[in-house]
Amino acid sequence: MTTTTDASVLTARFQETFGAAPDGVWQAPGRVNLIGEHTDYNEGFVLPFAIDRTAKIALRVRADSTVRMLSTFGGHGMVEADLADLEPGSGEGWSRYPLGVAWALRERGISVPGFDLLLDSDVPLGAGLSSSHAIECAVISALNELTGAGFAAEELVLATQRAENIFVGAPTGIMDQSASLRGAKGHAVFLDCRDQHVELVPFDAEASGLVLLVIDTKVSHSHADGGYASRRASCELGAEILGVKALRDVGVEDLEEASGLLDETTLRRVRHVVTENDRVLQTVEILGTRGPANIGPLLDASHVSMREDFEISCPELDLAVDTSRANGAIGARMTGGGFGGSAIALTPVGQEQQVRDAVVRSFAEAGFTAPDIFTVTPAAGALRLA
């Protein structure tokens, strides 16, 4: 999507489109997960951060139950719906996310009125940077304020998760919206997905002479498909067989015993989650003591685990990771739900251009679509702009 420059530009365009000024402008960021993949719905640990790419919405409540929505992204006309008709599966494309949030709030007893909405976003679509949750978190922040619901961030997280799980049909956890709603500039969000406890962990790559490159492979992915759901089902099966509430309750020291109880595929899925939880804890400890320059091996190990045990990588992601490491990155991994999307490469500033050039060249030689490569920094969470 093409982003506008500031809230005043979006306000003016809203007024031009809908014939009245919006009640306000809100934004919510996408996220990069530094480490901790597919651990969230297993009640484990994750370490994402909000990024400096956002979804902005201008919104005005209406006196009826009609919803009218338009995106600045070309090719999509005005979407209209009636809140009274909403049910799981309603809506198409990006419109499912604002509608899902409205549905989830109404489920919680909030009297959500109709609204007019103009969306503008520069979070890449299908890149594993949570463009959908950025939209949801911007909308729920606006509706939470305008309806007087007054929900705390923890409740907004659960409402957006329900919108995703039930309304959209994507069996996701709480990581993405937690990062978008609770992120802070210069920090990663260490989240315990069992109780929503958050600690902000300093993550200043620049101060350590590093940049975090995002390599968008252009292989689009969707959480509302069978690959994600089947991985979640394997994890639930593993927890049931091992007699625990969730895989969060299995330690690395328990894997040897688990190997005698689980079939080979389920064991590999469980092993990824258990070792990934351990890698998150190690990363948090290292960031607090020795800094970002020392987490590279954990990023590398995370990618191997996702490729070999959880089997959610793809040739483009593997090439991005391997090429980055061979050309100076100190650690690299795929990020997000998998089956496409993006990789991240923690790279010394002096090696950045070499990594960029090598990845572009390797993709061309492999016959892959040219990747989009850009840097991200930890940014603030959802907020009102105007």
Side-chain angles (χ1 to χ4, degrees):
M1 293 186 181
T2 302
T3 187
T4 51
T5 53
D6 57 29
S8 62
V9 175
L10 194 59
T11 296
R13 184 155 180 184
F14 181 97
Q15 189 152 359
E16 178 185 311
T17 301
F18 294 106
D23 292 327
V25 177
W26 290 260
Q27 77 172 23
R31 66 95 188 95
V32 156
N33 191 21
L34 188 61
I35 196 163
E37 227 64 75
H38 289 265
T39 50
D40 58 347
Y41 54 79
N42 290 291
E43 300 187 12
F45 305 105
V46 292
L47 191 64
F49 61 86
I51 62 173
D52 48 346
R53 293 204 171 203
T54 62
K56 295 183 180 71
I57 61 152
L59 187 145
R60 177 173 62 93
V61 298
R62 298 169 54 95
D64 56 21
S65 60
T66 298
V67 174
R68 298 189 299 172
M69 298 181 290
L70 186 68
S71 168
T72 61
F73 188 56
H76 300 283
M78 183 79 74
V79 176
E80 294 199 20
D82 193 305
L83 292 179
D85 299 331
L86 290 188
E87 59 183 26
S90 301
E92 295 182 1
W94 71 270
S95 74
R96 296 175 298 165
Y97 305 117
L99 293 176
V101 162
W103 172 85
L105 287 175
R106 284 163 70 96
E107 252 207 336
R108 279 166 162 71
I110 303 303
S111 180
V112 178
F115 53 86
D116 294 332
L117 181 152
L118 180 62
L119 166 69
D120 181 82
S121 176
D122 64 354
V123 185
L125 298 175
L129 303 181
S130 204
S131 58
S132 60
H133 283 98
I135 296 170
E136 290 171 345
C137 291
V139 174
I140 205 166
S141 296
L143 294 179
N144 187 49
E145 179 179 338
L146 295 174
T147 63
F151 286 141
E154 292 86 348
E155 184 68 20
L156 298 182
V157 164
L158 295 178
T160 53
Q161 182 190 25
R162 186 154 178 82
E164 281 277 325
N165 290 175
I166 307 301
F167 192 87
V168 177
T172 55
I174 63 170
M175 174 181 70
D176 296 347
Q177 54 271 70
S178 294
S180 188
L181 288 165
R182 306 178 74 179
K185 185 175 181 179
H187 291 77
V189 178
F190 175 41
L191 171 67
D192 183 334
C193 296
R194 171 159 283 172
D195 61 10
Q196 287 205 63
H197 176 71
V198 158
E199 292 179 25
L200 295 176
V201 179
F203 179 64
D204 188 349
E206 185 179 354
S208 296
L210 302 167
V211 295
L212 191 73
L213 289 172
V214 174
I215 303 163
D216 179 1
T217 66
K218 300 297 184 179
V219 179
S220 185
H221 75 150
S222 171
H223 282 163
D225 63 16
Y228 191 103
S230 70
R231 297 308 185 279
R232 183 163 186 163
S234 286
C235 293
E236 291 169 353
L237 174 63
E240 180 182 351
I241 293 172
L242 295 175
V244 294
K245 182 174 181 286
L247 293 183
R248 147 73 170 272
D249 300 310
V250 181
V252 173
E253 67 279 3
D254 300 320
L255 287 175
E256 184 175 352
E257 180 181 351
S259 66
L261 300 171
L262 305 174
D263 65 84
E264 182 183 349
T265 298
T266 306
L267 174 63
R268 285 189 283 113
R269 306 297 187 247
V270 168
R271 184 167 58 210
H272 164 72
V273 173
V274 172
T275 57
E276 188 79 345
N277 272 325
D278 187 60
R279 284 186 287 270
V280 173
L281 297 176
Q282 289 186 60
T283 301
V284 169
E285 190 275 329
I286 290 171
L287 288 176
T289 55
R290 292 184 283 149
N294 296 283
I295 66 171
L298 291 166
L299 303 183
D300 292 343
S302 175
H303 185 76
V304 171
S305 181
M306 289 185 286
R307 185 187 67 213
E308 303 295 332
D309 279 348
F310 224 61
E311 297 181 287
I312 54 172
S313 191
C314 66
E316 290 86 350
L317 286 168
D318 292 339
L319 183 61
V321 167
D322 293 344
T323 304
S324 297
R325 288 291 285 114
N327 286 274
I330 65 170
R333 63 185 287 272
M334 58 150 282
T335 187
F339 310 104
S342 297
I344 56 173
L346 190 59
T347 306
V349 171
Q351 302 293 112
E352 177 185 350
Q353 195 58 49
Q354 180 173 321
V355 170
R356 286 175 176 266
D357 292 345
V359 170
V360 169
R361 186 168 56 249
S362 69
F363 270 54
E365 291 170 352
F368 296 154
T369 300
D372 187 17
I373 305 175
F374 51 92
T375 62
V376 292
T377 57
L383 52 87
R384 181 170 182 159
L385 294 175

